[in-house]
Amino acid sequence: MTKLKFRFSRKAFAYPYMIFLLLFVVVPLVIVLINAFLGDDGKLTFANFAEFFSDKGGGLTVLGNSLIIGFVTTLICLVIGYPCAYFLAKYHASNKVLVLLFILPMWVNFLIRTLSTKAIFMALDVKLGMGTVMFGMVYNYLPYMILPLHTTLVSIDHSYIEAAEDLGADRFTVLWKTVLPLSVPGIVSGITMTFIPAISTFAISEILSSSKIFLFGDAINMHFSKTTNSFGVGSVMSLVMLFMVIIANVLVSLTEKKEEVKSSL
Amino acid sequence: MRKILPIFLCAVLLLSVAVSAAACNPDNVPTDELVVYNWADYIYDYKDDFYAYYKSLTGRNIKVTYVTFDTNETMLAKIMQGDAKVDVICPSEYAIQKLLEKDLLLPLNYFDEDKYVADMQADFAKYVHNGGNVDRNVLGKIDEAFGAVSVEGQDGTRKMSDYMVPYMYGTLGILYNKYAFIDSGIYDYGIMNKANWGILFNDDGDGNLLSNGLTGNILMKDSIRDSYAATLFYLKESGKLDGLTSTDESSSYYGKAYSELSVGEFINAVDDQLLSLCQQALTQQKEQLFGYEVDFGKDDLLKGNAMVDLAWSGDAMYAVEESWDDSLCAACSEERGERVYGEEQRDENGNKYYVCKHCQEECGDYELSYYVPHSAGNIWFDGWAIPKNTYNPEHLNAIKIFINFLNSPRVAAENMMEIGYSSAVDPEAVRQDADARATLSRVYLVDCDYWDKKDENGNDVAEFDYGSWEEFEEYFFDSRDVMDNSNWRYPFVLSDDETRALETLGVMRDFGVNNKAVVTMWNYARSTGENALPLLGWTALVLVVAAGIIVLCEYIKRLRNSKIKIAPAASGGESPDKSDE
Ligand SMILES: [Zn+2]
Ligand SMILES: [Zn+2]
């Protein structure tokens, strides 16, 4: 009986956002899904998938290049980012300014950052190409690697490290056998937070190679432009992108579950 | 206070509405309406002039709503859906062709009617659209290019010129840094006219590199149609099409050799053979590119980031005029094959100028230049048309008067100054018209009221670009580039010249059913060429080396540990002391 009455619960505050999600996330996704199966004549077809997977428009080649660039970017970010995050965590208590220094670039609009990077390269007479694009990628995505790592490393209970030291581990062994395994969740979320945007980016490659290096994001962008007008293939590529995002998220949740099991033991 | 503020704001709002309403219609004259749909930045500040013109003809006021589009495709989509309420549009010729084929245009053939109608206010229907002013060469070229257009659901065929009033036109060519070319030793009539479109591919015409300096310094337009045309021309010139015949079964020239096609036919040829050759050429071109540009490469060319760019004449003209450098000596640079700068001097008023130490002349030259290859080129036209399904019949008179207004020589001069492209109004009409001459004089400060005026220090009030009208006229209407022997602004003026026959300029039609094939080719060409595999190889190498070093370090460490196993006894003796403390 009380169910009939309208109760203004806290849930109601979530409705605007639910509607927003429905309108601007779910509906567009459905449109993309429909478009992927629509031919030029408006009939149901698998031609768009055939065109993409046969590499007729070079889409598969671009995907390959993007995956390589994304992989290398993530690797470099991890190699640079982990020590950074480690030392930031170590001196965190004494120096918060240091952390700020690493976050600061993220406050500047990323287009402005990238355009300035290009201006610097041009002034130094550096030829734009793969090297400059890689620099731009690492420069832009490094904070996305450092932040999750930093969060995890800071939250590691210091008594684990002290215990390891007490048991006679040298500094390297402490890092290798204690800190590293405990920071795996941070590493995984850092990798996904770097890899996914890195393979879908288009502005960085466009600006830092004068559009010479063409990435998956560029290709999707081009398919949806008015002059090329090939929404179908573009939609297929968007779905491929979405598929990779889902895989990444599944991987993240898998590692998180493992952690839960570990900590409950 | 809080309650008064909204009331006060409301009052202000009401007041401003009343004031603006009054401003709109101060003298109770009826107001007509007109909705114009045009490219952005594609008209001068016409409003006051047009309002006055409209009132003088009709005695009524006009309210113009001006809407803009950024690509022909945006415009086409809006008109075809019929949801844009626009009266008059100004797309490119191929888009007009598309609309005509779909039977979406109202005829606009006023060119053969009398030029003057005595009582214009009484009879608008007979009113002529300055038809006599439109350059007949332009109309002829358009009809030659499009021929007889068949219209969906209609018998017979139509002429394009009956459905569009040409507005502006231009050519496609190569914008280049003249001084970079001088430095590279390729600023030469023979070299450039042998390479032609090969300049964009760093090909000297024989398949060799045109210049090492060009590598990595070429900009390509990120536009499918323009890049396709340029690549086709390049393929033909460089002999890559020799002996090949058209494989397009739907065309009238199926089986004919490509070399036998006219430029007008060739520029519109699309078949699998051409597409795969184009794709190859564009992929190979990547090694030579600085990149692709969307706007136009003026800044990159002036900063020295790139030397060459595929460009339209209007953009090029604008870029060239912006590139004036006071300190360059043109004659000596060309003679010596390197940049020659003059030495800085000051006149009695402290103004800087440069004098060449070789020829003792005052310096100054445009750093950029524009080149339309001799072999073949593309010419395009934008024109006004009335979309049948979106125009408001009540606005028809206003539409006609608007088009008429745009075809008056003075407005043509204003537009040329503002936009940079060539007006389709006959250059002779512009040259002879007193108002048009006054407009051009004002912009370039020739022969105007300030001519002899001095300020209190005896300096000229204004700086003059040209010494006299005749000097300016020569520059504006008759200037011919020494490299391509052509008039950038008026390609038709030289139509009787043996070096630039009009037959070498083709009009590009819509790709039609081939559109998808061309788009796929372009996508493929853009996607390939720059491979990330070497990057992966380098990364793998670095990883292997890093792993090797770690293993080596570990090995050395163990080796050392096993060697000094006896030693720790000494250090072991110290540590208990420490822990005692
Ligand atoms: Zn000089
Ligand atoms: Zn000189």
Side-chain angles (χ1 to χ4, degrees), chain A residues 5 22 28 35 62 77 80 82 87 99 105 108 154 192 230-231 239:
Chain A
K5 257 167 110 192
L22 197 72
N35 259 308
V62 176
C77 281
I80 300 174
Y82 198 90
F87 287 109
V99 185
V108 180
V154 162
T192 42
S230 46
F231 290 10
L239 288 181

Side-chain angles (χ1 to χ4, degrees), chain A residues 40 51 55-58 62 65 68 72 75 122 127 130 134 209-212 214 222-223 226-228, chain B residues 73 216-217 224 286 289-292 305 516 519-520 522-524 526-528 530-532 535-536 539:
Chain A
D40 292 331
E51 185 172 339
D55 200 24
K56 238 172 91 190
V62 176
N65 284 345
I68 294 174
V72 176
L75 195 73
M122 294 316 314
K127 276 273 162 238
M130 192 61 87
M134 285 310 299
S209 74
S210 290
S211 304
K212 221 162 61 170
F214 204 66
M222 178 127 117
H223 278 285
K226 279 264 158 55
T227 41
T228 43
Chain B
E73 285 68 23
N217 283 314
I224 302 178
K286 278 218 172 144
L289 289 185
F290 171 73
Y292 298 87
N305 295 345
K516 197 171 170 126
V519 167
T520 306
W522 176 248
N523 276 340
Y524 193 86
R526 288 292 309 274
S527 306
T528 50
E530 287 278 341
N531 206 322
L535 185 70
L536 194 65
T539 313

Side-chain angles (χ1 to χ4, degrees), chain B residues 101-120:
Chain B
E101 282 172 350
K102 298 251 183 244
D103 194 20
L104 289 172
L105 294 181
L106 219 60
L108 257 175
N109 45 345
Y110 305 94
F111 298 102
D112 297 326
E113 294 178 32
D114 293 336
K115 196 169 181 185
Y116 301 102
V117 175
D119 189 0
M120 284 183 278

Side-chain angles (χ1 to χ4, degrees), chain B residues 23-234:
Chain B
C24 278
N25 209 349
D27 40 16
N28 260 345
V29 175
T31 300
D32 296 329
E33 285 181 51
L34 175 67
V35 186
V36 179
Y37 193 30
N38 192 7
W39 298 91
D41 303 319
Y42 210 44
I43 197 164
Y44 81 110
D45 189 7
Y46 68 99
K47 280 208 163 150
D48 293 342
D49 289 346
F50 179 59
Y51 292 175
Y53 180 81
Y54 193 84
K55 195 148 194 193
S56 74
L57 286 181
T58 63
R60 297 156 73 92
N61 289 326
I62 179 90
K63 179 176 165 272
V64 182
T65 311
Y66 195 83
V67 201
T68 60
F69 55 84
D70 52 0
T71 64
N72 282 304
E73 285 68 23
T74 322
M75 185 278 316
L76 278 174
K78 275 212 170 145
I79 299 295
M80 284 181 175
Q81 284 156 16
D83 55 2
K85 286 276 157 265
V86 293
D87 296 323
V88 63
I89 55 176
C90 183
S92 305
E93 63 322 78
Y94 77 94
I96 294 178
Q97 177 205 11
K98 237 180 179 174
L99 289 172
L100 179 56
E101 282 172 350
K102 298 251 183 244
D103 194 20
L104 289 172
L105 294 181
L106 219 60
L108 257 175
N109 45 345
Y110 305 94
F111 298 102
D112 297 326
E113 294 178 32
D114 293 336
K115 196 169 181 185
Y116 301 102
V117 175
D119 189 0
M120 284 183 278
Q121 293 195 32
D123 196 358
F124 278 124
K126 282 188 188 159
Y127 192 59
V128 189
H129 285 229
N130 275 338
N133 285 340
V134 174
D135 193 337
R136 297 291 148 148
N137 282 316
V138 172
L139 288 171
K141 192 77 197 168
I142 291 172
D143 281 333
E144 176 206 310
F146 289 92
V149 182
S150 41
V151 176
E152 226 170 68
Q154 302 274 330
D155 294 330
T157 56
R158 304 283 186 277
K159 253 166 71 185
M160 277 282 279
S161 62
D162 288 345
Y163 290 84
M164 70 182 275
V165 178
Y167 180 50
M168 291 274 161
Y169 66 94
T171 55
L172 185 68
I174 297 169
L175 176 66
Y176 64 101
N177 189 315
K178 177 178 158 185
Y179 283 84
F181 270 43
I182 289 177
D183 289 338
S184 305
I186 49 174
Y187 186 70
D188 174 89
Y189 187 86
I191 293 175
M192 285 181 68
N193 289 310
K194 195 174 160 215
N196 282 317
W197 291 99
I199 293 172
L200 286 172
F201 294 81
N202 200 0
D203 185 330
D204 69 350
D206 288 331
N208 307 316
L209 275 194
L210 177 60
S211 161
N212 282 326
L214 265 181
T215 304
N217 283 314
I218 297 167
L219 268 173
M220 197 65 176
K221 214 172 193 34
D222 189 7
S223 147
I224 302 178
R225 287 172 61 83
D226 304 310
S227 302
Y228 183 71
T231 313
L232 274 194
F233 292 143
Y234 164 66

Side-chain angles (χ1 to χ4, degrees), chain A residues 12-239:
Chain A
F13 288 110
Y15 292 149
Y17 184 59
M18 300 289 262
I19 292 167
F20 179 86
L21 272 185
L22 197 72
L23 277 179
F24 296 104
V25 179
V26 180
V27 173
L29 273 179
V30 172
I31 293 174
V32 165
L33 198 66
I34 292 170
N35 259 308
F37 291 97
L38 279 188
D40 292 331
D41 48 0
K43 285 185 187 137
L44 191 77
T45 174
F46 287 97
N48 298 324
F49 287 87
E51 185 172 339
F52 173 71
F53 287 105
S54 67
D55 200 24
K56 238 172 91 190
L60 223 50
T61 313
V62 176
L63 180 60
N65 284 345
S66 290
L67 286 175
I68 294 174
I69 289 177
F71 168 71
V72 176
T73 303
T74 313
L75 195 73
I76 297 175
C77 281
L78 185 64
V79 168
I80 300 174
Y82 198 90
C84 274
Y86 182 74
F87 287 109
L88 274 179
K90 219 172 170 182
Y91 302 112
H92 182 242
S94 60
N95 203 344
K96 287 206 164 128
V97 183
L98 260 177
V99 185
L100 198 70
L101 270 178
F102 276 89
I103 308 171
L104 210 58
M106 288 176 82
W107 291 356
V108 180
N109 179 292
F110 112 99
L111 272 179
I112 295 174
R113 252 184 293 150
T114 312
L115 283 168
S116 328
T117 317
K118 182 189 174 180
I120 292 170
F121 279 131
M122 294 316 314
L124 294 175
D125 238 0
V126 177
K127 276 273 162 238
L128 299 183
M130 192 61 87
T132 50
V133 170
M134 285 310 299
F135 181 90
M137 299 279 265
V138 171
Y139 173 54
N140 258 296
Y141 294 119
L142 193 54
Y144 296 92
M145 178 65 84
I146 292 180
L147 281 183
L149 281 174
H150 176 251
T151 319
T152 326
L153 287 169
V154 162
S155 64
I156 290 177
D157 196 336
H158 203 72
S159 49
Y160 285 123
I161 296 163
E162 279 164 5
E165 277 168 352
D166 286 349
L167 291 169
D170 58 15
R171 274 161 80 189
F172 180 78
T173 316
V174 169
L175 189 68
W176 187 246
K177 294 258 163 90
T178 315
V179 180
L180 201 65
L182 284 172
S183 61
V184 164
I187 294 175
V188 173
S189 71
I191 286 174
T192 42
M193 277 180 78
T194 314
F195 185 69
I196 292 298
I199 50 174
S200 60
T201 183
F202 59 92
I204 297 176
S205 51
E206 212 174 285
I207 293 168
L208 288 177
S209 74
S210 290
S211 304
K212 221 162 61 170
I213 290 175
F214 204 66
L215 296 184
F216 204 53
D218 295 298
I220 295 177
N221 187 30
M222 178 127 117
H223 278 285
F224 281 99
S225 77
K226 279 264 158 55
T227 41
T228 43
N229 198 7
S230 46
F231 290 10
V233 182
S235 300
V236 171
M237 294 167 100
S238 306
L239 288 181

Side-chain angles (χ1 to χ4, degrees), chain B residues 326-333 340-343 354-364:
Chain B
D326 277 333
S327 62
L328 285 165
C329 176
C332 294
S333 298
V340 174
Y341 293 101
E343 275 159 359
Y354 294 83
V355 170
C356 175
K357 59 174 180 251
H358 304 293
C359 61
Q360 311 302 327
E361 305 260 341
E362 193 177 334
C363 299

